[in-house]
Amino acid sequence: MNHLPQAWGRPRDDIYGAYDSSYLQSHGPNQHTQQPIVTGTSVVALKFKDGVIIAADNLASYGSLARFTDVKRLRKFADTSVVGFGGDVSDMQYLDRLLNSLDTEEAYSSSGHTLNAHNLHTYLSKVFYKRRSDFNPLWNQILVAGLDGESKPFLASADLLGTTFSSPSLATGFGAHLAQPLLRKVAPDEEAAAKLSKEQALEAVKESMKVLFYRDARSLDNYSIAVVTKDGIDLKENEKLEKQSWAFADQIRGYGTQIN
Amino acid sequence: MCLSALNPDTRAIVPGAPKVQQTTELQRPLQILIHPQLLTLRTSQSTLEHHANLPQTSIGTGYDLTNSVFSPDGRNFQVEYAVKAVENGGTSIGIRCKDGVVLAVEKIITSKLLKAGANKRIATIDRHVGAVSSGLVPDGRHFVSRARDEAASWRSTYKTPITTKDLASRMGGYLQAYTLYSSVRPFGITAIVGGWDSELELPVDGQVGSGPSIGSGGKVEGKTYGGPGLYMIEPSGMYWGYYGAATGKGRQTAKAELEKLDLAALKLSLQDGVKEAARIIYVAHADNKDKEFELEMTWISNLDGPTKGRHQEVPKDILEEAENLAKKYLEGEDDEETKDDDKPAEGDKMEE
């Protein structure tokens, strides 16, 4: 899988050759989503000793056009979980409504319990797998951050194919290439993540968001970030990247041989 | 078939009509949907009402055997019999306060083997509405199930929570549909629906951007939107908005107490409303002392209040405080009126 949402769910060109797009009829009966249209880029998340931090920028791109700049891609669920969405924004809206009705229905039972992050991830992965098996996928890769049934930090990924995996740090799309190596430096394994303080984790995630803004052409410097702990969810939706370093650019001239 | 049952006189004079068998005792129970004689345990008061409301012609004339049949004076007796079922149920009330709504119900404890606090009678619809009913409990469940479907379908159409008023309207329509056909029976419940409609500019369900900053069109400057809603829906499908609503066995007493509160002034706070609701259920139960009961109470506050616009159970400590005040009030009232009488048993409420 690469960072281009358009390529997700397609056979890899370098192995199978260019995809024969004549199979993708533009008309005919029973059309399903063939490609994402308005897309969100990376979601980045990292576990620490008391919980999980998750972040995503506020951009929804229309191809290379940075079309919508106030799109909130982190969604709260039941005061214990946050879902971060990458990929198609209309499918994200569908999933948000699905989660909204799920949350309402869960509250009807008088037990007072609701789904934790682990349950929520299982649910969403099954929705994704069902849809891809109907050849009508929801074109997203998501991260579920929160606390599991034992109130321990939980972080896992699910995507349009129904693939799931879990790790102390996770990033979708472009972030899988750029943010993951940085996050793995602070939390190479579960033991290391269990020793991380909130401040260390916050710094690492913010640094990753900055690196992504530098290098990902579909990213934005406005972002949302959520810290999920036992005390609840602290979600900030209008953060701005700080301390960007551009001063060095003054010294750069030409493409190689030009001197002043 | 129904016609012949209704008007026995027409049978003989229809030429060539097959001989219709007289309605036998065996057939009758099949046609009777709700018959007043099946509803035992009527208080003397409601017996009086019964005779006042129903002329003697209602029984035995045939106009009360089937739902959706008009009597000569334009009444549907099956609906009136359904009201009788409601009048035997435990008392439920709703109070509309300035910053929220309280719902309470008197649950008669039919057996010591019932678990305290289980078997909830007040249900949540969507997140911001509560419903409680008196009468046939399964009909109440069906009501809630339908109300939840209506709220969900409202959301899927309009991407916003249903208002209490619209929900009451839809449920009124639903109950009325059950008075239209002989193949169904009316609902044996009167339901009280209370909710808080958000006064804020709500995001549309699934909205991903912040939208226009100037707010939605058509709103009048200075006018407030949202707020508390309280509606009572009867078996006929009739519903009204109320400041305070009561139904079930103790409704007369409860209504008298509600009228004293001057709820129309909208000055009663939610916290006081909880105390008044508990007291009214206790006072209404005083006519029915031989049976033990459990008080179930829920509330919905505004967004600044304790429930943040959601329908929730009243927390245990606040409920107990309200119940203690109610018991104290009853003791005080007892001392004044009949000093010789025994004080009400302390075990009015089942031990927890």
Side-chain angles (χ1 to χ4, degrees):
Chain A
M1 177 166 298
N2 66 25
H3 64 274
L4 297 168
Q6 286 83 351
W8 298 357
R10 293 268 171 80
R12 285 172 58 183
D13 288 357
D14 53 342
I15 293 175
Y16 299 99
Y19 193 78
D20 181 0
S21 55
S22 68
Y23 291 121
L24 301 173
Q25 292 167 5
S26 59
H27 54 82
N30 209 4
Q31 273 206 358
H32 296 316
T33 308
Q34 309 282 357
Q35 55 175 324
I37 306 296
V38 177
T39 59
T41 183
S42 330
V43 185
V44 175
L46 173 63
K47 284 202 227 178
F48 65 100
K49 68 174 192 253
D50 304 317
V52 194
I53 295 174
I54 182 166
D57 70 27
N58 293 347
L59 179 68
S61 308
Y62 180 72
S64 60
L65 176 66
R67 178 68 181 80
F68 304 103
T69 53
D70 62 347
V71 172
K72 310 299 171 355
R73 297 192 287 125
L74 301 185
R75 296 289 160 137
K76 287 200 241 187
F77 183 88
D79 296 329
T80 55
S81 315
V82 173
V83 185
F85 292 86
D88 191 83
V89 170
S90 62
D91 284 349
M92 162 182 151
Q93 283 182 296
Y94 167 79
L95 283 168
D96 190 52
R97 288 184 183 128
L98 195 68
L99 292 180
N100 205 8
S101 69
L102 180 70
D103 185 41
T104 305
E105 281 164 28
E106 282 297 313
Y108 287 158
S109 69
S110 54
S111 68
H113 295 291
T114 186
L115 301 180
N116 59 45
H118 188 100
N119 305 142
L120 183 62
H121 176 256
T122 307
Y123 174 83
L124 284 169
S125 66
K126 288 183 187 241
V127 171
F128 279 123
Y129 184 64
K130 169 71 168 67
R131 289 291 296 263
R132 84 106 214 198
S133 302
D134 293 342
F135 294 95
N136 187 19
L138 292 162
W139 227 284
N140 301 100
Q141 188 179 357
I142 59 150
L143 298 184
V144 181
L147 302 173
D148 65 11
E150 281 136 18
S151 292
K152 297 230 172 69
F154 176 89
L155 176 60
S157 157
D159 67 16
L160 73 167
L161 299 175
T163 313
T164 62
F165 46 87
S166 184
S167 163
S169 64
L170 281 174
T172 73
F174 214 110
H177 305 276
L178 274 178
Q180 272 284 43
L182 299 172
L183 297 173
R184 281 183 185 156
K185 270 192 204 165
V186 289
D189 49 28
E190 290 286 352
E191 289 79 51
K195 284 177 193 150
L196 268 188
S197 74
K198 181 176 146 186
E199 287 68 32
Q200 286 171 305
L202 262 178
E203 197 195 320
V205 169
K206 285 183 177 173
E207 184 64 21
S208 305
M209 292 305 288
K210 192 158 73 182
V211 170
L212 282 168
F213 178 60
Y214 287 150
R215 304 281 177 186
D216 180 358
R218 304 283 174 268
S219 68
L220 195 68
D221 51 351
N222 281 316
Y223 67 102
S224 307
I225 186 164
V227 182
V228 194
T229 59
K230 268 183 208 168
D231 304 328
I233 300 169
D234 178 20
L235 173 62
K236 295 191 186 102
E237 290 192 314
N238 283 307
E239 296 294 283
K240 187 95 182 163
L241 285 177
E242 285 163 355
K243 292 181 208 145
Q244 291 179 39
S245 145
W246 295 106
F248 67 93
D250 267 354
Q251 313 304 317
I252 299 172
R253 297 278 188 279
Y255 294 94
T257 53
Q258 183 183 335
I259 302 160
N260 288 325
Chain B
M1 286 306 282
C2 283
L3 206 86
S4 63
L6 290 179
N7 199 345
D9 296 338
T10 55
R11 283 180 215 148
I13 57 166
V14 177
K19 195 180 174 189
V20 183
Q21 212 188 335
Q22 278 284 330
T23 313
T24 65
E25 283 306 306
L26 262 177
Q27 284 173 309
R28 290 200 69 176
L30 292 173
Q31 296 180 332
I32 296 171
L33 299 170
I34 302 166
H35 194 279
Q37 279 165 6
L38 296 176
L39 305 166
T40 52
L41 281 173
R42 193 180 296 119
T43 61
S44 57
Q45 193 179 29
S46 64
T47 313
L48 276 175
E49 275 184 12
H50 176 74
H51 286 302
N53 288 340
L54 306 175
Q56 283 199 311
T57 50
S58 74
I59 299 166
T61 53
Y63 294 112
D64 65 343
L65 297 181
T66 310
N67 188 18
S68 183
V69 164
F70 286 112
S71 78
D73 49 354
R75 295 155 62 179
N76 181 343
F77 286 113
Q78 282 298 325
V79 168
E80 294 183 17
Y81 295 158
V83 173
K84 297 290 157 202
V86 173
E87 290 170 359
N88 280 317
T91 314
S92 12
I93 62 164
I95 301 180
R96 188 175 174 271
C97 307
K98 70 172 173 197
D99 50 354
V101 179
V102 189
L103 298 175
V105 61
E106 165 209 32
K107 285 193 294 186
I108 301 291
I109 294 169
T110 50
S111 162
K112 294 256 186 213
L113 298 174
L114 288 171
K115 188 182 169 196
N119 304 311
K120 295 289 183 223
R121 284 276 302 280
I122 312 182
T124 307
I125 294 155
D126 205 292
R127 285 165 177 167
H128 60 297
V129 181
V132 63
S133 61
S134 291
L136 307 183
V137 176
D139 287 26
R141 294 243 169 100
H142 182 133
F143 179 92
V144 165
S145 160
R146 176 69 187 201
R148 285 173 176 173
D149 287 351
E150 290 290 354
S153 103
W154 182 281
R155 265 199 198 263
S156 81
T157 308
Y158 302 111
K159 316 298 180 203
T160 185
I162 192 168
T163 63
T164 315
K165 185 181 175 181
D166 287 307
L167 183 69
S169 162
R170 288 198 169 192
M171 292 315 293
Y174 187 64
L175 261 59
Q176 200 250 343
Y178 281 72
T179 69
L180 298 176
Y181 311 98
S182 57
S183 52
V184 293
R185 62 167 177 81
F187 275 72
I189 56 162
T190 289
I192 297 174
V193 172
W196 183 278
D197 305 325
S198 175
E199 58 275 58
L200 297 185
E201 193 85 26
L202 285 181
V204 173
D205 281 4
Q207 179 182 315
V208 292
S210 49
S213 58
I214 50 168
S216 45
K219 292 208 166 174
V220 180
E221 187 100 17
K223 193 182 165 193
T224 53
Y225 292 88
L230 183 69
Y231 295 82
M232 186 158 76
I233 308 162
E234 293 174 25
S236 60
M238 193 190 77
Y239 70 97
W240 297 108
Y242 289 86
Y243 292 115
T247 181
K249 199 168 205 169
R251 69 199 172 284
Q252 240 89 8
T253 321
K255 273 183 204 164
E257 293 293 328
L258 284 168
E259 279 165 16
K260 287 182 206 162
L261 293 178
D262 188 23
L263 293 166
L266 266 193
K267 282 189 179 137
L268 189 71
S269 74
L270 183 64
Q271 307 280 349
D272 291 339
V274 164
K275 288 169 191 159
E276 294 293 351
R279 186 181 64 80
I280 291 170
I281 290 291
Y282 269 79
V283 170
H285 181 77
D287 302 337
N288 192 20
K289 257 187 208 156
D290 49 322
K291 286 178 190 133
E292 292 198 347
F293 81 104
E294 187 178 81
L295 171 66
E296 185 183 329
M297 195 152 53
T298 62
W299 62 356
I300 314 127
S301 76
N302 63 13
L303 291 164
D304 306 325
T307 82
K308 305 203 168 12
R310 290 192 174 215
H311 175 250
Q312 285 171 354
E313 278 172 35
V314 173
K316 216 176 167 196
D317 50 332
I318 298 175
L319 181 73
E320 276 170 10
E321 189 200 343
E323 280 190 292
N324 287 334
L325 283 172
K327 283 176 196 162
K328 223 174 258 174
Y329 172 84
L330 274 188
E331 278 172 26
E333 203 179 46
D334 227 40
D335 287 344
E336 280 170 32
E337 286 170 8
T338 52
K339 285 201 170 147
D340 306 333
D341 264 14
D342 290 337
K343 286 188 175 176
E346 273 301 302
D348 255 5
K349 193 182 166 285
M350 203 163 89
E351 287 92 343
E352 290 177 358

